[in-house]
Amino acid sequence: MTQFDRLAALGPDARKGKGLMGPFAALIGMIAAACAMAVGAVLAVFAAAAVAVMAVVGGLVLALAAFAFRARRAFGGKSRRATDPEIIEAKKVDGTWVAYGWDRR
């Protein structure tokens, strides 16, 4: 059985592009492709906008963190441990916690 015999056995629908409906099918295919490209372009714009918003929010967070560190340095950012006499220091030595400073009074 040759290639032409197989096409003939499949019927007239096997020969795409031939006949009366071929140009209409090509036109519908081009319209569907154009719609798919338009939807893809819109989704790409939304994705780019989302990335831009995340970059702006991330920049704001970093700016606020910089202001906080600068303010802490400017207003004497001493820790509570250095100023509060009630807080003691403890370290773990050989699996046992050892406290320092509780007997200084």
Side-chain angles (χ1 to χ4, degrees):
M1 185 182 268
T2 65
Q3 178 182 3
F4 297 111
D5 293 335
R6 281 183 279 182
L7 283 176
L10 291 174
D13 291 336
R15 293 173 278 155
K16 299 286 185 196
K18 303 281 185 187
L20 186 61
M21 293 302 289
F24 293 115
L27 180 65
I28 291 172
M30 286 192 299
I31 291 172
C35 289
M37 286 188 287
V39 168
V42 169
L43 290 176
V45 168
F46 281 139
V51 169
V53 167
M54 285 188 278
V56 168
V57 170
L60 287 174
V61 168
L62 286 176
L64 288 175
F67 285 136
F69 285 125
R70 189 178 301 166
R72 183 176 179 181
R73 207 175 312 134
F75 293 112
K78 296 179 183 175
S79 66
R80 182 173 174 226
R81 183 177 18 181
T83 58
D84 192 358
E86 295 292 321
I87 294 182
I88 61 174
E89 184 179 344
K91 293 182 182 178
K92 196 167 190 177
V93 178
D94 294 330
T96 305
W97 285 98
V98 179
Y100 300 99
W102 60 274
D103 57 349
R104 289 186 192 159
R105 296 181 191 162

